[in-house]
Amino acid sequence: MLVTNKDLMVPARKNGYAIPALNVQNLESLTAVAEAAAEEKSPVIMQITPSVIKYAGLQYITGLAKTAAALHPVPVAIHLDHGEDFDTAAKCVEAGFSSVMIDGSFLKFEENVALTKRVVDMAHPKGVSVEAELGKLAGVEERSVEEKDAILTDPDSAVEFVEKTGVDALAVAIGTSHGAYKFKAEAKLDLERLKSISEKVAIPLVLHGASSVPQWLVEKANQYGAGLSGAKGIPENEYRKAIALGIAKINIDTDLRLAFTATVREVLANSPKEFDPRKILGPAKAAMKEVAKGKMRLFGSSGKA
Ligand code: G3H
Ligand code: 13P
Ligand code: ZN
């Protein structure tokens, strides 16, 4: 059943678990996530980026997501991830998304406030919840910055931002980055900063760039020809600490992509005569689904539907 991010995140923050926000891009990833949620009895956020909208088409991807939400007996939110401007957010609201992110993190503070407020004023009357971001993450996502330009979220600015915009959830920068190469040195989150933000900001907080980049997946991909040396993600024991400090939505894209691609490589390497797409994509979807279920268990959302 279709719900908003807010419906899912508020009880999550209150009760000390987090909702997996899993990026989907096509039929296989979407059904993998929906089936994982149904089997784990977990609420889930299916998130769709502007580049997925360009790739798949807004009507196609929204149609698939709405079908998944209608067919499965668990709460599902359809969320725009890293909405790049007002028009994209408005089109997604019109298409039937239940939640949108407006990512003004690359703007000056007051401009980010103004853009976010405009989206809140458009979305809230339609019952759609809004996520915004303060601070800048490094990484591979289209408008991520270079590592040297990453800016961690300032707790006092976060308070002012939430008050001025009325957003439902705030994405914070605490040392993560998008993609498979998050840390050159020791992998760690700025939990002190998160603590101080969560003491001042009561709305649910969101962790972007949160893949753990499991080494077994990297090794599997490398075994079948990928060249992913130095890939490193968030240590799995950090999630519990982040959730205890107010993180109620955890964004995962890279780990799902790794699971999918490593399996496509494996199938093609082991069955070079195979050319039925379903025989190649089916196992890849199954691998993605297992990773999605693992996140639900790890973040404590399993059994919460
Ligand atoms: O932060 C979001 C993604 O990991 C990047 O997604 O390649 O679909 O824009 P994209
Ligand atoms: P990862 O690249 O760590 O999976 O992050 C995904 C994300 O933040 C999507 O918004
Ligand atoms: Zn992100």
Side-chain angles (χ1 to χ4, degrees):
M1 89 214 65
L2 184 64
V3 298
T4 69
N5 278 12
K6 187 178 178 187
D7 295 331
L8 301 181
M9 290 181 301
V10 170
R13 175 158 183 180
K14 190 162 159 249
N15 297 306
Y17 62 95
I19 310 294
L22 305 176
N23 285 74
V24 294
Q25 38 199 249
N26 55 14
L27 174 69
E28 283 73 21
S29 51
L30 217 135
T31 50
V33 165
E35 289 167 20
E39 285 171 28
E40 284 297 312
K41 302 193 174 25
S42 169
V44 75
I45 296 167
M46 291 184 167
Q47 49 184 19
I48 295 163
T49 62
S51 67
V52 168
I53 292 172
K54 281 180 207 126
Y55 171 78
L58 182 61
Q59 304 308 331
Y60 279 114
I61 197 75
T62 313
L64 284 173
K66 280 187 189 166
T67 303
L71 283 182
H72 293 278
V74 291
V76 174
I78 305 175
H79 174 70
L80 169 67
D81 185 30
H82 294 284
E84 49 199 359
D85 50 40
F86 180 86
D87 286 350
T88 307
K91 279 195 187 119
C92 288
V93 169
E94 201 181 317
F97 283 43
S98 58
S99 178
V100 291
M101 175 188 188
I102 180 71
D103 183 357
S105 61
F106 57 96
L107 297 170
K108 294 203 180 78
F109 181 83
E110 289 303 339
E111 289 167 5
N112 190 358
V113 167
L115 175 61
T116 302
K117 173 110 182 44
R118 202 172 152 223
V119 172
V120 168
D121 290 344
M122 172 273 295
H124 276 181
K126 301 193 164 120
V128 170
S129 63
V130 180
E131 172 185 333
E133 178 168 329
L134 197 60
K136 292 191 170 92
L137 262 73
V140 296
E141 183 249 336
E142 240 168 68
R143 282 186 311 202
S144 293
V145 296
E146 295 284 319
E147 204 171 319
K148 66 176 174 37
D149 297 320
I151 298 175
L152 302 183
T153 307
D154 170 59
D156 291 322
S157 308
V159 176
E160 187 183 342
F161 186 85
V162 169
E163 275 169 8
K164 285 187 164 163
T165 58
V167 272
D168 303 292
L170 184 69
V172 292
I174 54 166
T176 62
S177 62
H178 292 106
Y181 302 90
K182 299 192 191 298
F183 306 96
K184 286 206 184 82
E186 196 201 345
K188 82 198 251 300
L189 306 182
D190 189 343
L191 294 173
E192 278 306 308
R193 180 177 299 272
L194 179 59
K195 182 164 186 279
S196 124
I197 298 169
S198 73
E199 279 165 3
K200 294 167 190 246
V201 173
I203 61 169
L205 303 173
V206 181
L207 191 63
H208 280 248
S211 278
S212 61
V213 189
Q215 287 309 295
W216 65 271
L217 270 181
V218 173
E219 279 157 25
K220 179 173 163 184
N222 286 344
Q223 183 188 344
Y224 295 106
L228 299 170
S229 71
K232 199 196 259 188
I234 297 186
E236 291 200 345
N237 58 2
E238 296 288 286
Y239 294 119
R240 281 266 130 230
K241 300 180 203 162
I243 293 168
L245 296 172
I247 294 290
K249 169 177 180 274
I250 301 185
N251 287 14
I252 304 287
D253 191 349
T254 296
D255 288 351
L256 298 169
R257 294 181 184 194
L258 281 172
F260 193 87
T261 308
T263 306
V264 168
R265 285 181 179 280
E266 179 186 40
V267 174
L268 291 176
N270 290 338
S271 314
K273 293 206 170 80
E274 186 57 70
F275 60 87
D276 180 341
R278 295 166 299 181
K279 303 266 170 59
I280 301 164
L281 302 183
K285 171 193 154 177
M288 229 181 194
K289 182 167 151 183
E290 279 314 304
V291 168
K293 287 168 87 168
K295 302 300 175 194
M296 290 162 189
R297 292 178 205 140
L298 195 58
F299 304 162
S301 66
S302 289
K304 299 291 193 313

